[in-house]
Amino acid sequence: METLRLRPWSDDDLPLLRAANTADMTTHLNGPESAQQVEERHRRYLGLDPTEARMFAVLDAHDVPVGAIGYWTVEWRDESAFETGWFVLPAAQGRGVASRALALLIEDARAHPAGLGYLVAFPAVENAASNGVCRRAGFRAGGSVSRPVPRIRAALARVGTRPAPAS
């Protein structure tokens, strides 16, 4: 199993967002973004307040970016939590990259000074790959929610030391 590491998002990562902005890569989202939207997303990632959010490039053993993963503060069941999202470029898919990157991200979130108790993800119901990543990371189904992207299921994982809320 190859070694992965997370590196904080940098100016050099715009090509990574562009590579992920394809119909296949965004099929479970709202589809590809315009070039301007991708550049705006990149600027948002660069400007994240680290007390509330973190974005990372996922690097393989040769320090080549193969995906991205991050977390940001949201309200979940009437308390602050982190939400996560990720992508892995097609050439690196099917090798456990997302699962290993999520494990590294969970470690980072657990150490975050905000001390939030939960990390949530919202993969589309039909997104078997992302739902599998959540299961392997110990997330448990938290019910369906209505989001801008239809048919989203919430997944909930413990990040801190508090017990998980009842579903």
Side-chain angles (χ1 to χ4, degrees):
M1 188 176 294
E2 71 180 297
T3 302
L4 293 179
R5 72 181 182 93
L6 304 182
R7 176 188 38 76
W9 199 258
S10 76
D11 282 326
D12 297 332
D13 293 321
L14 179 57
L16 186 58
L17 283 181
R18 288 180 176 145
N21 192 41
T22 68
D24 286 344
M25 289 287 294
T26 60
T27 191
H28 296 291
L29 303 171
N30 289 326
E33 296 177 310
S34 70
Q36 180 179 347
Q37 288 171 313
V38 170
E39 290 173 13
E40 288 170 1
R41 177 180 299 280
H42 177 62
R43 284 193 298 275
R44 279 195 312 274
Y45 290 170
L46 289 172
L48 290 174
D49 177 347
T51 66
E52 297 179 1
R54 297 196 59 181
M55 193 68 194
F56 302 95
V58 179
L59 305 179
D60 69 10
H62 305 287
D63 283 340
V64 174
V66 295
I69 192 166
Y71 61 88
W72 49 93
T73 306
V74 296
E75 286 299 309
W76 173 251
R77 295 186 175 167
D78 298 321
E79 70 176 286
S80 293
F82 287 128
E83 179 179 343
T84 185
W86 59 85
F87 68 81
V88 175
L89 296 176
Q93 291 177 3
R95 301 189 331 229
V97 170
S99 293
R100 288 181 284 134
L102 183 55
L104 293 170
L105 183 100
I106 289 171
E107 288 177 26
D108 190 87
R110 281 187 174 132
H112 193 278
L116 301 183
Y118 303 104
L119 178 71
V120 295
F122 297 96
V125 170
E126 65 275 3
N127 188 340
S130 286
N131 281 291
V133 168
C134 288
R135 276 190 306 280
R136 285 186 292 281
F139 283 52
R140 66 177 181 84
S144 294
V145 296
S146 176
R147 302 283 305 256
V149 180
R151 295 178 310 280
I152 299 296
R153 178 174 56 212
L156 177 66
R158 288 183 55 200
V159 173
T161 58
R162 289 177 280 171
S167 294

